[in-house]
Amino acid sequence: MLFPAEPFKIKVVEAIQKTSFEERDRLIRQAGYNVFMLPAEKIYIDLLTDSGTSAMSDNQWAGMMIGDESYAGSRNYFRLEETVRDIFGYQYIIPTHQGRMAENLLFNAMLKPGDIVPNNIHFDTTRANIEYNKGIALDLVIDEGFDPDTELPFKGNMDLRKLVRVIDQHGPQKIPLVMITITNNSGGGQPVSMENIRQTRVLLQKYNIPLIFDACRFAENCYFIKEGEHGYHNKSLKEIARELFSHGDGCTMSAKKDGLANIGGFLALNDPQIAEKATNLLIIVEGFPTYGGLAGRDLEAISRGLQEVLNEDYLHYRISQVRYLGQLLLEGQVPILRPIGGHAVYLNAKAFLPHIPKSQFPGQALAAELYRSAGIRSVEIGSLMFGHKDRETGEDVFPELELVRLAIPRRVYTTMHINYVAESLIEIYKKRYQIKGLKLVYEAPFLRHFTARLEEVDS
Ligand code: PM9
């Protein structure tokens, strides 16, 4: 197994707690079979998300000590602005407390009711912010992106034929922007190729439609391009990032992912009018334009994180660690989405629990069982997260993919932790037919998976 040793040594440690099966059984029932409702202290290995869970470097912590907490004009903002302009190349940098606020500002500034926003696959917060701003979110990834078993190097690619069809059908005036999510989180952390980005750009230029990236995991996407796309092997990751972003007009960013920070985000744009609109709203809902809901020290941590994340040794280790977990699971016959993505391994819950119908949330049932059996927290990306009632017929609509994501926090867990996760899952797979389906007893109108409560179905 080719797994490079970690390109860092550990200076600070945080204790994690093992609990008994009985305690976890009680806790998961109390949590309404919703892993978001568990106390984090009762989790042994937390793979709920790679968002805001990175271990910061000594360089980032040192940067936090030179946070300038001035209300306006903090030096850390100017450093962040310089870094983002250097890597992303966009002119206007609007800091936000996290990615979803960048989305809200963008859609508020650009959408009219009934407008359409295509994406390869929208993340849940992106879709929710579009719908909240009365737009319609469309997922136009290539068909293979919905098939958990097709091996393709760039399975996050936008389907250009689908995109042309949508533009022809609705007219370009109904489409104020198109997004591309790199890497495609909701489709398995799959990358998008430079060629696909370039072609999308060429198409959109014909219609004068801006292209905005959801850039949360841009560095991981760039690593896949370097590794797998012709002509990029000898380019630096920063050169690849610059080229990639040059094909767009801006990006939303959650610095909690490839910013290697625990909080923060930004909206970066080239259009001064949209930037002005977004900034005006920013001042009402977040704060002054040079801090946008963050402390000066957070801005510094993000600026340093964005520089570190493009380090080749780091990204090689990062992607290899995720692949290592995936390989162990494949060797143990556990069904996972292939190829293995950038930030997470996705269990194919439909294949893992074939006896549980989508209406009984197999992904959520698997996530609950993984906690109960092994103290490992994961997250469902399936019927609970994306299922909904059809507005006209009132019937249940379920997403194509029924996944459970094991997201790997950056620079946090060791190889032995990863081994424990794989061994636990292989054991659960052996007794999979004992796992029961779930039924909803409470759901909120938006983003229901965060607060839903469920119960086990008897039969
Ligand atoms: N992603 C994730 O775990 C955190 C929230 S759900 C537990 O994957 C994309 C592609 C994301 C994303 C967050 C956001 C929003 C936008 N786009 O969480 O608001 O993966 O900073 O970012 C999460 P914020």
Side-chain angles (χ1 to χ4, degrees), residues 178-193:
V178 166
M179 297 190 79
I180 296 185
T181 303
I182 50 172
T183 57
N184 184 26
N185 187 9
S186 309
Q190 303 294 320
V192 180
S193 72

Side-chain angles (χ1 to χ4, degrees), residues 102-103 106-112 115-119 122 126 130 135-138 140 158 163 166-167 171-180 200 204 207-214 249-252 267 269 274:
E103 293 164 1
L106 176 75
F107 300 134
N108 189 282
M110 293 192 76
L111 290 197
K112 293 189 303 309
D115 277 350
I116 289 163
V117 185
N119 199 333
H122 289 278
T126 324
I130 290 168
I136 299 162
L138 294 183
L140 304 183
M158 179 76 91
L163 185 55
V166 167
I167 299 172
Q173 68 288 350
K174 274 288 215 190
I175 306 172
L177 72 150
V178 166
M179 297 190 79
I180 296 185
T200 307
L204 295 181
Y207 299 98
N208 222 2
I209 300 174
L211 175 60
I212 304 287
F213 292 102
D214 176 338
D249 301 280
C251 70
T252 55
L267 173 62
L269 294 166
I274 301 167

Side-chain angles (χ1 to χ4, degrees), residues 36 48-51 97-101 103 123-126 181-186 214 216-217 252-257 264 343 379 381 385 405 407 449-450:
F36 284 100
L48 176 76
T49 180
D50 62 324
S51 176
H97 77 278
Q98 56 183 89
R100 68 196 70 183
M101 180 52 82
E103 293 164 1
F123 187 63
D124 62 348
T125 58
T126 324
T181 303
I182 50 172
T183 57
N184 184 26
N185 187 9
S186 309
D214 176 338
C216 297
R217 300 179 178 85
T252 55
M253 175 73 190
S254 169
K256 299 172 75 173
K257 286 90 171 166
H343 65 294
V379 72
I381 300 195
M385 187 181 272
R405 188 185 68 175
H449 50 289
F450 286 125

Side-chain angles (χ1 to χ4, degrees), residues 112-177:
K112 293 189 303 309
D115 277 350
I116 289 163
V117 185
N119 199 333
N120 43 1
I121 304 187
H122 289 278
F123 187 63
D124 62 348
T125 58
T126 324
R127 173 173 286 277
N129 271 301
I130 290 168
E131 290 173 358
Y132 189 71
N133 282 286
K134 305 206 168 12
I136 299 162
L138 294 183
D139 297 333
L140 304 183
V141 73
I142 53 171
D143 287 344
E144 293 87 341
F146 290 118
D147 175 2
D149 300 320
T150 308
E151 294 264 4
L152 269 186
F154 294 101
K155 219 170 138 179
N157 279 356
M158 179 76 91
D159 189 322
L160 292 167
R161 272 172 309 179
K162 290 183 196 166
L163 185 55
V164 170
R165 221 175 298 139
V166 167
I167 299 172
D168 284 347
Q169 195 183 342
H170 300 277
Q173 68 288 350
K174 274 288 215 190
I175 306 172
L177 72 150

Side-chain angles (χ1 to χ4, degrees), residues 48-50 123 148-149 181 183-190 217 220 322 325-326 329-330 334-352 366 378-382 385-386 401-408 425:
L48 176 76
T49 180
D50 62 324
F123 187 63
D149 300 320
T181 303
T183 57
N184 184 26
N185 187 9
S186 309
Q190 303 294 320
R217 300 179 178 85
E220 291 165 6
V322 176
L325 173 59
L329 292 175
L330 284 173
V334 176
I336 63 167
L337 186 144
R338 297 191 320 265
I340 297 157
H343 65 294
V345 174
Y346 292 67
L347 304 170
N348 179 355
K350 206 156 81 174
F352 199 117
L366 179 53
S378 55
V379 72
E380 187 253 21
I381 300 195
M385 187 181 272
F386 289 118
L401 295 170
E402 184 73 24
L403 306 172
V404 171
R405 188 185 68 175
L406 307 166
I408 312 296
L425 268 161

